[in-house]
Amino acid sequence: MTNTYRELVIGGVLIAPIVAYAAIALIAFLLLRPLLRLIGFARLFSNPSLAELSLYVAMFGLLALLI
């Protein structure tokens, strides 16, 4: 069984589903960021920026896989 993707239409322009997934993951990550700062996420890693990027990529991958 194949998965059919629905394109997002904004102003008559078709947007690929992967772009919508990236935007949803970015919004979810930006909403999650204050919680990460509150629990001290940055102290757990030697390179916190890379850890945050990895978390975003994981969220993006899960969205693309599950939706």
PDB file of all heavy atoms in Angstrom, residues 24-42:
ATOM      1  N   ILE A  24       6.336  22.434  10.578  1.00  0.00           N
ATOM      2  CA  ILE A  24       5.673  21.931  11.787  1.00  0.00           C
ATOM      3  C   ILE A  24       6.711  21.523  12.828  1.00  0.00           C
ATOM      4  O   ILE A  24       6.559  21.815  14.021  1.00  0.00           O
ATOM      5  CB  ILE A  24       4.746  20.752  11.431  1.00  0.00           C
ATOM      6  CG1 ILE A  24       3.571  21.242  10.597  1.00  0.00           C
ATOM      7  CG2 ILE A  24       4.243  20.061  12.688  1.00  0.00           C
ATOM      8  CD1 ILE A  24       2.743  20.134   9.990  1.00  0.00           C
ATOM      9  N   ALA A  25       7.774  20.869  12.395  1.00  0.00           N
ATOM     10  CA  ALA A  25       8.838  20.468  13.325  1.00  0.00           C
ATOM     11  C   ALA A  25       9.525  21.687  13.918  1.00  0.00           C
ATOM     12  O   ALA A  25       9.859  21.700  15.111  1.00  0.00           O
ATOM     13  CB  ALA A  25       9.850  19.581  12.617  1.00  0.00           C
ATOM     14  N   LEU A  26       9.715  22.729  13.120  1.00  0.00           N
ATOM     15  CA  LEU A  26      10.346  23.951  13.627  1.00  0.00           C
ATOM     16  C   LEU A  26       9.465  24.624  14.668  1.00  0.00           C
ATOM     17  O   LEU A  26       9.953  25.050  15.729  1.00  0.00           O
ATOM     18  CB  LEU A  26      10.636  24.912  12.476  1.00  0.00           C
ATOM     19  CG  LEU A  26      11.318  26.222  12.867  1.00  0.00           C
ATOM     20  CD1 LEU A  26      12.691  25.942  13.456  1.00  0.00           C
ATOM     21  CD2 LEU A  26      11.411  27.144  11.684  1.00  0.00           C
ATOM     22  N   ILE A  27       8.179  24.711  14.408  1.00  0.00           N
ATOM     23  CA  ILE A  27       7.263  25.327  15.372  1.00  0.00           C
ATOM     24  C   ILE A  27       7.225  24.516  16.664  1.00  0.00           C
ATOM     25  O   ILE A  27       7.295  25.074  17.766  1.00  0.00           O
ATOM     26  CB  ILE A  27       5.860  25.470  14.758  1.00  0.00           C
ATOM     27  CG1 ILE A  27       5.883  26.523  13.662  1.00  0.00           C
ATOM     28  CG2 ILE A  27       4.827  25.827  15.816  1.00  0.00           C
ATOM     29  CD1 ILE A  27       4.637  26.563  12.809  1.00  0.00           C
ATOM     30  N   ALA A  28       7.147  23.191  16.545  1.00  0.00           N
ATOM     31  CA  ALA A  28       7.135  22.335  17.729  1.00  0.00           C
ATOM     32  C   ALA A  28       8.439  22.481  18.516  1.00  0.00           C
ATOM     33  O   ALA A  28       8.432  22.531  19.752  1.00  0.00           O
ATOM     34  CB  ALA A  28       6.911  20.887  17.329  1.00  0.00           C
ATOM     35  N   PHE A  29       9.558  22.561  17.803  1.00  0.00           N
ATOM     36  CA  PHE A  29      10.844  22.712  18.488  1.00  0.00           C
ATOM     37  C   PHE A  29      10.944  24.057  19.195  1.00  0.00           C
ATOM     38  O   PHE A  29      11.441  24.131  20.320  1.00  0.00           O
ATOM     39  CB  PHE A  29      11.997  22.544  17.494  1.00  0.00           C
ATOM     40  CG  PHE A  29      13.331  22.716  18.141  1.00  0.00           C
ATOM     41  CD1 PHE A  29      13.837  21.735  18.967  1.00  0.00           C
ATOM     42  CD2 PHE A  29      14.076  23.869  17.938  1.00  0.00           C
ATOM     43  CE1 PHE A  29      15.069  21.896  19.574  1.00  0.00           C
ATOM     44  CE2 PHE A  29      15.294  24.034  18.539  1.00  0.00           C
ATOM     45  CZ  PHE A  29      15.799  23.047  19.365  1.00  0.00           C
ATOM     46  N   LEU A  30      10.471  25.119  18.549  1.00  0.00           N
ATOM     47  CA  LEU A  30      10.520  26.441  19.183  1.00  0.00           C
ATOM     48  C   LEU A  30       9.625  26.511  20.416  1.00  0.00           C
ATOM     49  O   LEU A  30       9.939  27.223  21.369  1.00  0.00           O
ATOM     50  CB  LEU A  30      10.142  27.520  18.172  1.00  0.00           C
ATOM     51  CG  LEU A  30      11.159  27.758  17.066  1.00  0.00           C
ATOM     52  CD1 LEU A  30      10.633  28.789  16.078  1.00  0.00           C
ATOM     53  CD2 LEU A  30      12.504  28.184  17.625  1.00  0.00           C
ATOM     54  N   LEU A  31       8.517  25.769  20.402  1.00  0.00           N
ATOM     55  CA  LEU A  31       7.664  25.712  21.585  1.00  0.00           C
ATOM     56  C   LEU A  31       8.284  24.858  22.692  1.00  0.00           C
ATOM     57  O   LEU A  31       8.042  25.097  23.877  1.00  0.00           O
ATOM     58  CB  LEU A  31       6.282  25.164  21.218  1.00  0.00           C
ATOM     59  CG  LEU A  31       5.425  26.061  20.330  1.00  0.00           C
ATOM     60  CD1 LEU A  31       4.152  25.333  19.928  1.00  0.00           C
ATOM     61  CD2 LEU A  31       5.107  27.360  21.031  1.00  0.00           C
ATOM     62  N   LEU A  32       9.086  23.886  22.321  1.00  0.00           N
ATOM     63  CA  LEU A  32       9.736  22.999  23.277  1.00  0.00           C
ATOM     64  C   LEU A  32      10.993  23.619  23.891  1.00  0.00           C
ATOM     65  O   LEU A  32      11.399  23.253  24.990  1.00  0.00           O
ATOM     66  CB  LEU A  32      10.097  21.690  22.573  1.00  0.00           C
ATOM     67  CG  LEU A  32      10.706  20.569  23.394  1.00  0.00           C
ATOM     68  CD1 LEU A  32       9.677  20.059  24.393  1.00  0.00           C
ATOM     69  CD2 LEU A  32      11.169  19.461  22.479  1.00  0.00           C
ATOM     70  N   ARG A  33      11.578  24.571  23.222  1.00  0.00           N
ATOM     71  CA  ARG A  33      12.854  25.152  23.648  1.00  0.00           C
ATOM     72  C   ARG A  33      12.844  25.778  25.043  1.00  0.00           C
ATOM     73  O   ARG A  33      13.788  25.569  25.809  1.00  0.00           O
ATOM     74  CB  ARG A  33      13.292  26.180  22.622  1.00  0.00           C
ATOM     75  CG  ARG A  33      14.747  26.184  22.422  1.00  0.00           C
ATOM     76  CD  ARG A  33      15.154  26.941  21.219  1.00  0.00           C
ATOM     77  NE  ARG A  33      16.568  27.204  21.397  1.00  0.00           N
ATOM     78  CZ  ARG A  33      17.215  28.162  20.834  1.00  0.00           C
ATOM     79  NH1 ARG A  33      16.593  28.953  20.009  1.00  0.00           N
ATOM     80  NH2 ARG A  33      18.482  28.331  21.060  1.00  0.00           N
ATOM     81  N   PRO A  34      11.810  26.537  25.438  1.00  0.00           N
ATOM     82  CA  PRO A  34      11.809  27.065  26.814  1.00  0.00           C
ATOM     83  C   PRO A  34      11.793  25.959  27.870  1.00  0.00           C
ATOM     84  O   PRO A  34      12.431  26.093  28.920  1.00  0.00           O
ATOM     85  CB  PRO A  34      10.533  27.901  26.885  1.00  0.00           C
ATOM     86  CG  PRO A  34      10.242  28.262  25.483  1.00  0.00           C
ATOM     87  CD  PRO A  34      10.726  27.129  24.656  1.00  0.00           C
ATOM     88  N   LEU A  35      11.100  24.880  27.587  1.00  0.00           N
ATOM     89  CA  LEU A  35      11.097  23.751  28.521  1.00  0.00           C
ATOM     90  C   LEU A  35      12.486  23.124  28.612  1.00  0.00           C
ATOM     91  O   LEU A  35      12.939  22.765  29.702  1.00  0.00           O
ATOM     92  CB  LEU A  35      10.067  22.707  28.083  1.00  0.00           C
ATOM     93  CG  LEU A  35       9.988  21.455  28.934  1.00  0.00           C
ATOM     94  CD1 LEU A  35       9.460  21.794  30.323  1.00  0.00           C
ATOM     95  CD2 LEU A  35       9.114  20.426  28.269  1.00  0.00           C
ATOM     96  N   LEU A  36      13.167  23.014  27.488  1.00  0.00           N
ATOM     97  CA  LEU A  36      14.527  22.476  27.500  1.00  0.00           C
ATOM     98  C   LEU A  36      15.463  23.369  28.295  1.00  0.00           C
ATOM     99  O   LEU A  36      16.343  22.880  29.019  1.00  0.00           O
ATOM    100  CB  LEU A  36      15.046  22.319  26.065  1.00  0.00           C
ATOM    101  CG  LEU A  36      14.356  21.275  25.199  1.00  0.00           C
ATOM    102  CD1 LEU A  36      14.891  21.346  23.778  1.00  0.00           C
ATOM    103  CD2 LEU A  36      14.521  19.899  25.776  1.00  0.00           C
ATOM    104  N   ARG A  37      15.294  24.665  28.179  1.00  0.00           N
ATOM    105  CA  ARG A  37      16.127  25.596  28.930  1.00  0.00           C
ATOM    106  C   ARG A  37      15.836  25.485  30.419  1.00  0.00           C
ATOM    107  O   ARG A  37      16.734  25.572  31.248  1.00  0.00           O
ATOM    108  CB  ARG A  37      15.880  27.022  28.441  1.00  0.00           C
ATOM    109  CG  ARG A  37      16.813  28.021  29.086  1.00  0.00           C
ATOM    110  CD  ARG A  37      16.758  29.356  28.422  1.00  0.00           C
ATOM    111  NE  ARG A  37      17.325  29.208  27.074  1.00  0.00           N
ATOM    112  CZ  ARG A  37      16.979  29.957  26.029  1.00  0.00           C
ATOM    113  NH1 ARG A  37      16.083  30.890  26.175  1.00  0.00           N
ATOM    114  NH2 ARG A  37      17.523  29.765  24.857  1.00  0.00           N
ATOM    115  N   LEU A  38      14.570  25.269  30.761  1.00  0.00           N
ATOM    116  CA  LEU A  38      14.157  25.166  32.160  1.00  0.00           C
ATOM    117  C   LEU A  38      14.746  23.921  32.825  1.00  0.00           C
ATOM    118  O   LEU A  38      15.176  23.976  33.982  1.00  0.00           O
ATOM    119  CB  LEU A  38      12.630  25.138  32.252  1.00  0.00           C
ATOM    120  CG  LEU A  38      12.023  25.112  33.644  1.00  0.00           C
ATOM    121  CD1 LEU A  38      12.296  26.425  34.358  1.00  0.00           C
ATOM    122  CD2 LEU A  38      10.536  24.857  33.561  1.00  0.00           C
ATOM    123  N   ILE A  39      14.795  22.805  32.117  1.00  0.00           N
ATOM    124  CA  ILE A  39      15.317  21.573  32.715  1.00  0.00           C
ATOM    125  C   ILE A  39      16.833  21.441  32.596  1.00  0.00           C
ATOM    126  O   ILE A  39      17.404  20.478  33.097  1.00  0.00           O
ATOM    127  CB  ILE A  39      14.629  20.322  32.121  1.00  0.00           C
ATOM    128  CG1 ILE A  39      14.938  20.183  30.637  1.00  0.00           C
ATOM    129  CG2 ILE A  39      13.157  20.334  32.381  1.00  0.00           C
ATOM    130  CD1 ILE A  39      14.474  18.873  30.040  1.00  0.00           C
ATOM    131  N   GLY A  40      17.502  22.386  31.947  1.00  0.00           N
ATOM    132  CA  GLY A  40      18.960  22.362  31.859  1.00  0.00           C
ATOM    133  C   GLY A  40      19.494  21.428  30.791  1.00  0.00           C
ATOM    134  O   GLY A  40      20.501  20.744  31.001  1.00  0.00           O
ATOM    135  N   PHE A  41      18.836  21.397  29.651  1.00  0.00           N
ATOM    136  CA  PHE A  41      19.239  20.539  28.537  1.00  0.00           C
ATOM    137  C   PHE A  41      20.661  20.857  28.073  1.00  0.00           C
ATOM    138  O   PHE A  41      21.427  19.944  27.738  1.00  0.00           O
ATOM    139  CB  PHE A  41      18.242  20.716  27.395  1.00  0.00           C
ATOM    140  CG  PHE A  41      18.494  19.882  26.183  1.00  0.00           C
ATOM    141  CD1 PHE A  41      18.169  18.539  26.171  1.00  0.00           C
ATOM    142  CD2 PHE A  41      19.044  20.435  25.038  1.00  0.00           C
ATOM    143  CE1 PHE A  41      18.394  17.764  25.052  1.00  0.00           C
ATOM    144  CE2 PHE A  41      19.267  19.677  23.917  1.00  0.00           C
ATOM    145  CZ  PHE A  41      18.939  18.334  23.926  1.00  0.00           C
ATOM    146  N   ALA A  42      21.041  22.120  28.060  1.00  0.00           N
ATOM    147  CA  ALA A  42      22.344  22.534  27.537  1.00  0.00           C
ATOM    148  C   ALA A  42      23.497  22.029  28.408  1.00  0.00           C
ATOM    149  O   ALA A  42      24.601  21.806  27.910  1.00  0.00           O
ATOM    150  CB  ALA A  42      22.402  24.051  27.426  1.00  0.00           C
TER     151      ALA A  42
END
